[in-house]
Amino acid sequence: VQFVEWGGGLVQPGGSLKLSCADSERIFNGAAMAWHRQVPGKEREQVAGILNGVTTNYADFVLGRFTISKDKNNNTWYLQMDNLKPEDTAVYYCNTPYPMYPWGQGTQVTVSS
């Protein structure tokens, strides 16, 4: 399994981005998936998780601003990020909640005016 993430970019504070993630072969269809992020010099942290495409959980620092979802038709996971803050700047990755697979390259999100 090799995850690919895309959709990052540069956005102003208060703006929105939608990240996408899929297995490069579009084969992986795990019941549990999560988005994680990492800032240089800091440990990677989990941002949001989803189970069976329905049950979701969020880190306190994104609750109410980020939404994780899954498109079951194409085994793709999403992270809708609204009201972005400069402290959300990081490289975002997808993987299982207790990471079981190699990390992808991630997608850079930069929130700056």
Side-chain angles (χ1 to χ4, degrees), residues 44-78:
R44 200 164 350 221
E45 59 186 358
Q46 185 172 323
V47 172
I50 187 167
L51 179 64
N52 293 325
V54 177
T55 304
T56 59
N57 62 84
Y58 299 92
D60 287 344
F61 48 82
V62 303
L63 190 63
R65 301 189 297 121
F66 291 11
T67 304
I68 188 172
S69 62
K70 178 185 180 182
D71 184 336
K72 298 179 179 180
N73 293 324
N74 61 13
N75 294 342
T76 301
W77 288 263
Y78 303 99

Side-chain angles (χ1 to χ4, degrees), residues 7-47:
L10 173 64
V11 64
Q12 293 186 344
S16 298
L17 283 173
K18 187 173 185 177
L19 308 183
S20 302
C21 156
D23 166 33
S24 60
E25 300 293 330
R26 294 298 176 101
I27 296 175
F28 181 79
N29 187 22
M33 180 60 83
W35 283 94
H36 310 256
R37 71 185 187 187
Q38 187 170 28
V39 175
K42 295 188 177 181
E43 291 189 0
R44 200 164 350 221
E45 59 186 358
Q46 185 172 323
V47 172

Side-chain angles (χ1 to χ4, degrees), residues 82-105:
D82 298 316
N83 190 20
L84 282 160
K85 303 176 180 180
E87 51 264 42
D88 295 319
T89 295
V91 179
Y92 285 73
Y93 305 85
C94 63
N95 208 320
T96 48
Y98 297 95
M100 296 173 56
Y101 301 98
W103 294 99
Q105 84 287 352

